[in-house]
Amino acid sequence: MIRRITLDNFMSHSHTVIESAEGLTVLVGPNNCGKSAVITALQTLCDNETGGFMVRRGESDCRVTVETDDGHTRVRR
């Protein structure tokens, strides 16, 4: 299970940390707050994708970090 997602300079997120609660299955929020960017971050991490569209405007790189409850960490720049 995913314990923490950290997005740095990823799309609309300058620095966002999402700590998941037990049984989290849904992300909710107002329009244009970055929910879809979180899903895109997870997809790019799983598929090992790259692309300039991911980097926040004005920044040179981005990072997605996912930590799981079994102690594994996966990072994609």
Side-chain angles (χ1 to χ4, degrees):
M1 182 165 146
I2 294 174
R3 186 177 75 209
R4 180 181 299 125
I5 302 168
T6 305
L7 306 177
D8 291 302
N9 297 324
F10 189 90
M11 298 178 88
S12 61
H13 297 270
S14 60
H15 177 76
T16 300
V17 178
I18 300 170
E19 302 263 354
S20 66
E22 184 72 29
L24 174 73
T25 58
V26 178
L27 291 174
V28 295
N31 287 342
N32 205 30
C33 72
K35 299 179 302 291
S36 295
V38 173
I39 302 306
T40 300
L42 294 174
Q43 288 175 325
T44 59
L45 189 65
C46 291
D47 296 339
N48 203 25
E49 290 181 53
T50 60
F53 76 93
M54 296 181 240
V55 180
R56 183 176 166 86
R57 177 173 278 146
E59 301 296 336
S60 59
D61 65 350
C62 65
R63 180 178 17 190
V64 177
T65 307
V66 172
E67 299 172 40
T68 61
D69 61 353
D70 62 357
H72 290 92
T73 300
R74 183 154 181 197
V75 177
R76 177 73 183 150
R77 292 184 180 261

